[in-house]
Amino acid sequence: MGRHRPHTAQPVREPILGTTPRGGSAETQRKAQGPGGHPPLVRVRGLHFARGDRVIFDGIDLDIPRGQVTAVMGPSGTGKTTLLKLISGQLRPDAGTIEVDGQNVHALSRGDLYRLRTRMGMLFQSGALLTDINVFDNVAYPLREHTRLPESMIRKLVLMKLEAVGLRGARDLMPSELSGGMARRVALARAVALDPMMIMYDEPFTGQDPISLGVLVTLIRQLNDASRLTSIVVSHDVAETAGIADRIYLIANGQVMAQGNPKQVEASGSGWVHQFMHGEADGPVHFHYPAPELAQDFLG
Amino acid sequence: MSELLRQLGRTGLQALGGLGRAHLLLVGILLGLPQLVTRPRLLLAQVFNVGVLSVLIIAVSGLFVGMVLGLQGYHVLSQFGAAQSLGVMVAASLVRELGPVVTALLVAGRAGSALTAEVGLMKATEQLSGLEMMAVDPIKRILTPRFVGGLISMPLLAALFSAVGVLGGWFVGVGLLGVDEGAYWGQLQAKIDFREDVVNGVIKSLAFGFVVTWISLFQGYDADPTAEGVSRATTRTVVHSALAVLGLDFVLTALMFGN
């Protein structure tokens, strides 16, 4: 195993599969277009974002095609969740633009941003269910907030959403009575309550047992296809994510390291991409944190 | 030396930044008031959480403070042959000072720290972000009802504290030490002025309610979203609230009774 090199991923500067040139080429945009040649639902151009001195994104370009499941993958701490927060307008970029359905998210007024968010759903890593109300009321929450539907209609809609995630029978439980996997499924039902055009999944598979994980994987794909959604899945669980994704972006060190469909990314010639996709302990990213020679350390 | 200056500057900037964020949050909370009018249930729930759930500690504390005032007051006043004025002394002390101040300190410890922990944990568990993503403003939906709930509850709790305290003073003075009951209530009724004493006490408790609830909500909303961050924020709520209440009490007392 290699030594004396940084533990973090090295930016791969050689051309990788479909790496988007700054500003986005016509070819890239064509590839990112969904079925029917529609423009991408989310267009990220020249995105710069830093926390203090630490650069998270250094001018990246991304296109999220409509109607597909797009995975954004990368090692921990590379800013995958930050990207979702930028897309949803919870964070403001230092430079660059993010357009969702043709609207520049960060140029919108608060009212317009909220109107846009009613068409976006987000599944948080923790589920983010309101802990003082039960499962039914959590799913009903956005319906009661944003519609004037009668309570009888809300009840039917909530039960339909809960049925879709297999938790109709858990409607009266409180969030504290749910397992992690159940909480995420309830959160998913809440996220689709208003039939959004897009759902963002923040690390949906982390900490799940195999059964819950399988359920979530299936649900994400089925919901996307049945409801003609656009899904963005942020994850570092390679096998599960690649299994349902139509398109993958690999990000690290503020750059898009690779993009394409799962087979293209799997077949990448980049050592870093290969190491990440196959979970190898050593490679361009070294097992050992930089340190003096072992013998020198023991004797010295 | 330069390191000390740098540290001083950094601390000053952080304090100013915090003050700025607190004021921006206050503006956001106040902007949520019109929305609250259409959802009175949210407010009622918070009046229950902040006010009703604090009733026991306020009543018990008021009773003991009133009893201590009765005991101490009797011993001092009886040296001057003025033990019959015990009712005035107990009531004035409670209505003007101890009622609003001690109530505010107790509310900061019980309800204020609970508000901070609740909002901080909602932040740590992404519930506030979840509301944002559901296109619901968490400041207007979560913080404004709690702020108004605290504001309404504080004078009511202070009134309860003073009322129970007066009864505690009566129990000790009249019941145990033999002060004339007619003198206790009669002098209290004659000497306690509604405008001078009661209204000023209410103004004080409203001011304390404003400050304590604002500090509590800000500390929760501004907390680092970790267990340690919420714990530190809860401590800061109690410390900052206590200092703010005592400092503000001096200023208000000087303005109200300084002449």
Side-chain angles (χ1 to χ4, degrees), chain A residues 88 90 110 114 117-118 120 122 124-126 128-131 141-142 145-146 190 200, chain B residues 39 118 122 124-127 129-139 141-142 146:
Chain A
S88 58
Q90 294 179 69
R110 195 167 180 79
Y114 273 15
R117 280 184 185 160
T118 59
M120 303 158 90
M122 184 159 174
F124 287 87
Q125 197 173 344
S126 60
L129 296 175
L130 297 169
T131 48
Y141 199 92
E145 284 294 324
H146 298 297
R190 186 178 69 176
M200 294 176 280
Chain B
R39 293 171 188 266
E118 185 189 16
M122 287 184 85
T125 54
E126 297 181 307
Q127 291 180 56
S129 300
L131 285 172
E132 276 274 354
M133 278 311 300
M134 283 191 281
V136 175
D137 186 342
I139 294 177
R141 176 47 51 87
I142 302 295
R146 282 160 177 75

Side-chain angles (χ1 to χ4, degrees), chain A residues 7-10 51 54-57 72-83 125 202-203 206-207 234-238 249-255 257 272 275-277 285:
Chain A
H7 182 259
T8 52
Q10 299 299 295
R51 288 187 192 277
R54 187 168 161 247
V55 176
I56 310 287
F57 297 119
V72 179
M73 299 165 77
S76 299
T78 47
K80 302 185 294 296
T81 301
T82 303
L83 179 65
Q125 197 173 344
D202 184 12
E203 301 282 6
T206 304
V234 150
S235 177
H236 49 216
D237 295 290
V238 174
Y249 280 96
L250 272 186
I251 57 174
N253 295 338
Q255 307 280 333
M257 308 296 271
W272 184 89
Q275 185 186 4
F276 182 84
M277 293 300 286
V285 180

Side-chain angles (χ1 to χ4, degrees), chain B residues 2-3 19 39 77 123 130 148 154 169 178 194-195 250 259:
Chain B
S2 64
E3 182 53 36
L19 213 55
R39 293 171 188 266
L77 292 173
K123 185 180 180 185
V148 180
M154 191 69 90
F194 179 75
R195 169 69 191 84
F250 171 73
N259 297 334

Side-chain angles (χ1 to χ4, degrees), chain A residues 93-145:
Chain A
D94 298 327
T97 59
I98 297 173
E99 287 179 14
V100 175
D101 200 23
Q103 299 183 74
N104 184 345
V105 173
H106 300 95
L108 294 175
S109 66
R110 195 167 180 79
D112 288 338
L113 179 61
Y114 273 15
R115 266 185 286 283
L116 180 64
R117 280 184 185 160
T118 59
R119 298 162 60 210
M120 303 158 90
M122 184 159 174
L123 182 72
F124 287 87
Q125 197 173 344
S126 60
L129 296 175
L130 297 169
T131 48
D132 56 341
I133 53 178
N134 66 15
V135 164
F136 183 95
D137 288 333
N138 261 288
V139 180
Y141 199 92
L143 292 166
R144 288 176 178 148
E145 284 294 324

Side-chain angles (χ1 to χ4, degrees), chain B:
Chain B
M1 183 65 187
S2 64
E3 182 53 36
L4 183 71
L5 282 172
R6 197 175 299 133
Q7 185 63 39
L8 263 176
R10 198 178 300 134
T11 309
L13 283 175
Q14 279 173 357
L16 276 176
L19 213 55
R21 290 196 301 281
H23 280 86
L24 283 176
L25 183 71
L26 181 63
V27 171
I29 287 171
L30 296 178
L31 286 175
L33 288 175
Q35 208 182 71
L36 192 61
V37 176
T38 59
R39 293 171 188 266
R41 277 189 184 183
L42 290 174
L43 178 59
L44 284 178
Q46 294 314 317
V47 171
F48 179 82
N49 282 340
V50 178
V52 177
L53 295 183
S54 301
V55 161
L56 187 64
I57 187 176
I58 294 295
V60 173
S61 305
L63 183 70
F64 285 127
V65 169
M67 287 166 74
V68 169
L69 278 176
L71 202 57
Q72 293 278 17
Y74 178 81
H75 285 298
V76 173
L77 292 173
S78 59
Q79 289 177 31
F80 304 98
Q84 305 306 315
S85 300
L86 183 66
V88 184
M89 196 221 77
V90 169
S93 308
L94 285 166
V95 173
R96 283 185 176 194
E97 285 298 329
L98 290 174
V101 172
V102 178
T103 300
L105 295 178
L106 289 170
V107 168
R110 202 216 74 86
S113 57
L115 283 177
T116 302
E118 185 189 16
V119 174
L121 281 172
M122 287 184 85
K123 185 180 180 185
T125 54
E126 297 181 307
Q127 291 180 56
L128 299 183
S129 300
L131 285 172
E132 276 274 354
M133 278 311 300
M134 283 191 281
V136 175
D137 186 342
I139 294 177
K140 289 177 180 166
R141 176 47 51 87
I142 302 295
L143 302 193
T144 302
R146 282 160 177 75
F147 179 77
V148 180
L151 199 62
I152 291 173
S153 299
M154 191 69 90
L156 296 175
L157 290 171
L160 176 71
F161 184 96
S162 298
V164 175
V166 168
L167 287 176
W170 166 83
F171 174 72
V172 170
V174 177
L176 301 180
L177 299 172
V179 174
D180 181 67
E181 183 163 15
Y184 186 90
W185 292 115
Q187 291 211 18
L188 185 154
Q189 204 173 352
K191 301 286 184 187
I192 296 296
D193 182 69
F194 179 75
R195 169 69 191 84
E196 183 85 351
D197 300 312
V198 177
V199 172
N200 280 340
V202 170
I203 291 171
K204 273 189 181 183
S205 57
L206 274 173
F208 297 157
F210 186 97
V211 169
V212 167
T213 320
W214 178 22
I215 289 173
S216 307
L217 294 174
F218 171 67
Q219 291 298 345
Y221 195 74
D222 203 49
D224 288 335
T226 60
E228 193 194 0
V230 174
S231 158
R232 276 205 305 264
T234 309
T235 307
R236 275 199 305 271
T237 287
V238 177
V239 173
H240 291 188
S241 296
L243 293 175
V245 164
L246 295 172
L248 191 61
D249 183 47
F250 171 73
V251 174
L252 289 174
T253 304
L255 289 173
M256 291 170 176
F257 307 105
N259 297 334

